[in-house]
Amino acid sequence: MAATDGDVLRVRIRARTIALLLGAIVLAFALERLFVAAHDAIGWFVAATIVALLLMPVVALLERFMRRALAIAVVLLVLAGFIGVVVYGVFNDLSSQMRRLERAVPSAAARLEDDDRFGEVARDFRLEERARDAVDGIGERLTGEARATAGSVGAYLAGTVLTIFMLGWSTRMMAAGLAQIDDLERRARVRTILVEALRTWRTYVTYAIAQAFGFGCLTFAVCRLADLPAPVPLALWLALWSIVPFIGVLVGMVPILMLSAGLESFDQALVLLAVFLVLQVVQVVILRRVHLRSLYVGPAVVLVIGLLGYEMYAIGGAIFGITIAILALAFADAATTEEPDPEALDPTRPDPAIAPS
């Protein structure tokens, strides 16, 4: 409370207010420490939830022909197999190219030392020796990274278990959450927002995944035809960048064009440039239709969230951070719905967008 005594302003703060302020500060520090200590577990739980929400329609489709448990097993095995093939291809290509680099760099330095014009300077600099030291063991270091990744199988197994759990129980968890809302109109409003948000989110994310897969396969074929080194990492690079609307293909094609111009020919680089420009135009045309069916996502959102996610959890954080940001935009867009679905007033009615079974 405040009181005035002439020109003097006196402020009295109650002990209760001070206690609440100090308690809030202590709670904020405790929550920050808790998040730092448990951020890995929280990250795996969020990732498992996102994957489960995306896989629900596929599981529901297979459930028409087999038991749900078998459908979940089939979907997860196919997904794990695809990821395993991509990871193996990336590490195999990089390992072979790094070992090739180990042989090529010292040989090039030795030829430069024998050159009539620059040989003396190169020998004085001990170019061959320094080049050999620079690339020595680079292939083994990359193999060590691959082994370290494989050593995290326990964490991936835990993530798989969480995904299975969310596939089996997330629908009941959502239904239980909705059941906590006693007011039927408010419950119908929340259910309508949830259904519409999940529908638009799945539509956009499914398009982004299909586009990345298609562009990645096409880039792999182009790189193989152009005889460029490490076609799998180059294809994966462009596929990931294609997630960025309107400009992703333009950014992802840069290292491919540089390698083509430096290792092959400038004419080949121009041909590849034309191919990727066509891909960019195709992306823009299809993306406009996707925006009409789902929601608009600009490149700034994807870039900013992707960079923040990458700083926290590397490439996985970037991908899931973008996915979560799109989900948040879908909820914001669905919240503009004025009237709830009349059928949503029935608390026992299943929602196809939540559990498409």
Side-chain angles (χ1 to χ4, degrees), residues 184-196 199 334 337-347 349-354:
L184 289 181
E185 291 188 2
R186 182 176 298 176
R187 182 190 300 178
R189 168 96 175 142
V190 173
R191 177 177 286 177
T192 300
I193 292 175
L194 179 60
V195 169
E196 181 63 18
R199 184 194 67 79
T337 304
E338 295 183 359
E339 296 294 335
D341 181 4
E343 296 184 2
L345 292 173
D346 181 6
R349 183 181 68 89
D351 290 312
I354 299 176

Side-chain angles (χ1 to χ4, degrees), residues 296-331:
Y296 176 83
V297 180
V301 173
V302 178
L303 285 173
V304 172
I305 299 300
L307 290 175
L308 292 176
Y310 185 83
E311 286 295 323
M312 295 179 63
Y313 294 101
I315 188 64
I319 295 175
F320 284 105
I322 293 170
T323 308
I324 294 171
I326 296 172
L327 180 60
L329 291 176
F331 272 104

Side-chain angles (χ1 to χ4, degrees), residues 141-163:
R141 289 195 294 270
L142 185 62
T143 303
E145 292 292 333
R147 291 173 179 170
T149 302
S152 304
V153 64
Y156 296 115
L157 180 60
T160 302
V161 172
L162 283 173
T163 302

Side-chain angles (χ1 to χ4, degrees), residues 268-327:
Q268 184 187 84
L270 289 178
V271 174
L272 294 181
L273 174 62
V275 171
F276 290 122
L277 287 178
V278 171
L279 282 183
Q280 184 64 82
V281 173
V282 170
Q283 183 201 43
V284 173
V285 172
I286 298 178
L287 196 57
R288 293 188 183 278
R289 296 189 177 185
V290 173
H291 287 165
L292 294 176
R293 295 181 56 189
S294 56
L295 72 159
Y296 176 83
V297 180
V301 173
V302 178
L303 285 173
V304 172
I305 299 300
L307 290 175
L308 292 176
Y310 185 83
E311 286 295 323
M312 295 179 63
Y313 294 101
I315 188 64
I319 295 175
F320 284 105
I322 293 170
T323 308
I324 294 171
I326 296 172
L327 180 60

Side-chain angles (χ1 to χ4, degrees), residues 51-79 163-164 166-171 202 352 354-357:
V51 172
L53 289 174
L54 287 173
L55 294 181
M56 277 182 183
V58 183
V59 172
L61 179 62
L62 293 179
E63 197 177 359
R64 299 176 183 176
F65 311 99
M66 60 187 73
R67 293 184 177 274
R68 184 173 181 83
L70 182 58
I72 293 174
V74 170
V75 170
L76 292 180
L77 285 175
V78 171
L79 180 62
T163 302
I164 296 174
M166 295 306 297
L167 282 171
W169 291 90
S170 58
T171 301
R202 281 196 183 113
I354 299 176
S357 59

